[in-house]
Amino acid sequence: MKKKILVVETGGTFATSSVNSVRTLENYDSGKTIYDYEIVKEKSLYYNIEFEKIRPIFTLSENMTFELLNKLLKALYEIDYSKYIGVIISHGTDTLAYTANILSMLFSHKGIPFIMVSSNHPLNHPLANGVDNFAAALDFINCVKIQGVFVIYKDHEGVFEIHLGSRIKQMNQIIDSYESFKNVNFGKLMEGKFVHNNDEKNPTIDDINTVVDPKSAKGIELTKTVMIIYPYVGLRFDLFNINEALSAVVYGVYHSGTFCAPEFDSHNSINRLVEKLKKYDIPLYISEISSGSDKYASTESLKNDDIINIAYDTSIENLYSKVAIAFDLFEDAGLRNDYIKNSNIFFEKVV
């Protein structure tokens, strides 16, 4: 009997073709798809697998919204995962990191691996890595008995890096590759075999296989509005339109775990943002700050207020995902903040 892998097609560059120098999804079903490439056929035969396919959404990933994500989540919640040895999710590179972090918080305990793959160019482009990424996912699923959400991507040096979905950062646009939070990837795939990264900050396979669902989120929909703010020189908080439509703000920091916090009256001070949020009782969550590092004086200048929450040791992509999920999971603010700041659902905390 053939082993089954579920392929969840969501679009992205992975499914595009070039028409008059424009990359589009419109010809996907009439052209050569991932299943038609020789290496995929060979590995399917070698591993004795067959694909089942679903397409809950089909979009260029830069157009991803919570509405589309909710359609994807709904489809994933309806699957009987006991039928499969793994799931492959094809996704565009632009927003893959956000989807991966959200899925890691919700689907890392299903007993099988969820592998997210993408492509830097349309599959038939001579420099495209999408076919290789998909083939590598087949190797990983068949060679590693593990559960959880992972991203496999052939980087700019030709190395197949494997990232925990809960640690993956937005793609580095300069080198066209992904990085894991604090530069700790889970491992590599070399000649079809998994090589674990034995960094002390990494979980083992056994650690990952003990993960259980800390809070049932079956059927969850992402309905709240969460804003991300990245710092830059000249950022003025007096220009922000903060109102009751906003549920929370996630604020990033500079490399040293710092932010602009001069005198309170400055339009550039984060304390001005705190003042505006306090008016509507909107919580502020701050990332990425390491728990073991010395604090800078600017951090000490942060206004002391109960709406301020520092989520240590997690990436801003993961914090955003947890905040978005938590505001639909919990009505109680204490439970919500405990989930956001203290839980370690899929090894997202890197200490």
Side-chain angles (χ1 to χ4, degrees):
M1 180 179 295
K2 288 184 178 293
K3 297 175 287 186
K4 292 184 178 181
I5 290 178
L6 178 67
V7 182
V8 183
E9 301 174 344
T10 72
T13 299
F14 196 91
T16 63
S17 58
S18 182
V19 179
N20 297 323
S21 299
V22 176
R23 293 181 177 183
T24 174
L25 295 168
E26 64 185 31
N27 295 329
Y28 178 73
D29 288 314
S30 59
K32 185 177 183 180
T33 68
I34 186 64
Y35 315 102
D36 299 319
Y37 284 85
E38 198 60 37
I39 189 172
V40 174
K41 292 179 179 180
E42 290 174 358
K43 288 186 181 291
S44 301
L45 182 62
Y46 178 76
Y47 290 122
N48 191 33
I49 59 175
E50 63 178 351
F51 301 113
E52 287 190 9
K53 296 163 254 182
I54 61 172
R55 193 183 297 174
I57 61 175
F58 203 60
T59 183
L60 295 173
S61 71
E62 62 267 32
N63 296 328
M64 185 65 77
T65 63
F66 273 7
E67 181 181 8
L68 290 172
L69 266 176
N70 284 332
K71 291 180 180 180
L72 174 61
L73 294 177
K74 183 177 185 296
L76 292 177
Y77 279 125
E78 294 173 350
I79 301 299
D80 176 8
Y81 293 105
S82 65
K83 296 165 51 180
Y84 307 102
I85 63 169
V87 176
I88 298 176
I89 302 173
S90 60
H91 197 289
T93 55
D94 286 352
T95 57
L96 180 146
Y98 292 109
T99 303
N101 274 279
I102 288 171
L103 295 184
S104 293
M105 298 300 95
L106 301 175
F107 292 94
S108 290
H109 57 283
K110 297 297 185 182
I112 59 173
F114 288 61
I115 312 299
M116 298 194 69
V117 298
S118 55
S119 186
N120 55 349
H121 298 286
L123 296 184
N124 63 356
H125 190 284
L127 298 179
N129 60 10
V131 176
D132 289 340
N133 292 334
F134 191 93
L138 298 181
D139 289 330
F140 186 81
I141 289 172
N142 281 277
C143 297
V144 187
K145 302 306 178 186
I146 196 170
Q147 66 173 351
V149 178
F150 305 88
V151 176
I152 294 181
Y153 193 82
K154 184 181 180 181
D155 71 11
H156 61 290
E157 295 180 335
V159 177
F160 290 96
E161 291 199 321
I162 301 172
H163 306 268
L164 294 181
S166 58
R167 295 183 178 183
I168 192 144
K169 301 281 297 171
Q170 276 286 87
M171 176 171 278
N172 186 318
Q173 190 172 1
I174 303 301
I175 61 174
D176 193 30
S177 291
Y178 288 106
E179 297 172 349
S180 286
F181 182 49
K182 295 191 178 178
N183 202 31
V184 182
N185 63 36
F186 184 59
K188 300 176 181 178
L189 207 66
M190 302 180 68
E191 298 181 350
K193 303 298 181 183
F194 173 61
V195 179
H196 180 251
N197 177 4
N198 291 318
D199 190 292
E200 62 181 8
K201 296 181 176 66
N202 253 338
T204 66
I205 292 175
D206 287 341
D207 290 334
I208 288 177
N209 284 336
T210 62
V211 168
V212 296
D213 187 4
K215 167 70 178 178
S216 178
K218 187 171 179 60
I220 186 175
E221 284 189 281
L222 303 173
T223 65
K224 303 300 190 293
T225 300
V226 180
M227 177 189 291
I228 296 181
I229 300 175
Y230 289 93
Y232 58 87
V233 175
L235 175 62
R236 288 183 53 172
F237 293 109
D238 59 312
L239 302 179
F240 277 60
N241 178 22
I242 301 296
N243 58 58
E244 62 274 3
L246 191 60
S247 294
V249 171
V250 173
Y251 189 86
V253 297
Y254 290 121
H255 164 72
S256 301
T258 58
F259 35 74
C260 184
E263 62 276 6
F264 181 77
D265 288 338
S266 169
H267 294 314
N268 306 111
S269 173
I270 191 174
N271 289 314
R272 178 55 63 89
L273 174 65
V274 173
E275 181 185 51
K276 293 169 77 74
L277 294 174
K278 182 67 175 177
K279 180 180 178 181
Y280 297 98
D281 197 29
I282 299 170
L284 174 66
Y285 297 91
I286 300 175
S287 179
E288 304 160 341
I289 298 179
S290 296
S291 58
S293 300
D294 290 341
K295 296 179 181 178
Y296 280 75
S298 59
T299 310
E300 291 295 291
S301 300
L302 181 65
K303 179 179 172 65
N304 184 18
D305 198 287
D306 57 7
I307 70 164
I308 298 173
N309 303 273
I310 297 179
Y312 292 101
D313 304 316
T314 60
S315 71
I316 192 169
E317 292 88 350
N318 184 265
L319 178 58
Y320 173 75
S321 301
K322 290 180 84 170
V323 170
I325 292 169
F327 271 78
D328 279 303
L329 271 184
F330 304 98
E331 293 186 6
D332 180 81
L335 293 175
R336 189 168 60 221
N337 283 338
D338 184 58
Y339 173 89
I340 292 169
K341 297 193 296 182
N342 301 323
S343 66
N344 194 18
I345 295 169
F346 190 55
F347 309 97
E348 62 270 19
K349 287 188 175 294
V350 186
V351 182

